[in-house]
Amino acid sequence: MANHKSAKKRSVQNKTKNDVNSKYLSKVRTSLNKFDEALKSNKTDEIQKNLSEVNSIMAKTVKKGIFKKQYLSRKLSSLSNQIKKN
């Protein structure tokens, strides 16, 4: 248990950030799963819609500092290659 005022404040801040980060990570996982389902169903319009949704959500996570910019570009490149192969 935290003994100092600043340590107590830091504990509260960590819990809050953890909740926010978990929410964004959940959104990313959900959007990636939707993308995979669309990819398996071969619906091109749905695939493009889901890709833009993944891009949007992951860009927000980069802006919040949850993911690094390089991870975003690598992941989007990988998803684009999956579309080309399909």
Side-chain angles (χ1 to χ4, degrees):
M1 187 64 196
N3 294 322
H4 297 282
K5 184 179 179 183
S6 61
K8 290 177 185 175
K9 180 180 178 183
R10 177 57 64 190
S11 176
V12 171
Q13 288 175 335
N14 286 338
K15 288 179 185 175
T16 304
K17 283 188 177 189
N18 190 356
D19 292 341
V20 170
N21 291 349
S22 296
K23 181 182 80 168
Y24 277 103
L25 290 174
S26 176
K27 284 183 177 183
V28 168
R29 280 189 221 104
T30 302
S31 64
L32 286 173
N33 288 337
K34 286 181 182 177
F35 176 81
D36 288 339
E37 290 174 13
L39 199 61
K40 289 177 184 175
S41 67
N42 285 333
K43 297 179 180 176
T44 55
D45 56 335
E46 196 173 317
I47 291 171
Q48 291 299 327
K49 186 183 113 186
N50 286 328
L51 181 64
S52 66
E53 183 181 328
V54 168
N55 185 10
S56 173
I57 292 171
M58 290 186 81
K60 289 177 186 174
T61 60
V62 169
K63 186 177 176 183
K64 298 278 184 185
I66 299 169
F67 289 147
K68 291 187 176 182
K69 191 175 181 181
Q70 183 182 3
Y71 175 77
L72 170 68
S73 62
R74 187 173 61 240
K75 190 68 173 174
L76 290 177
S77 174
S78 171
L79 295 176
S80 296
N81 287 335
Q82 287 179 13
I83 291 173
K84 289 177 187 175
K85 286 181 183 178
N86 200 3

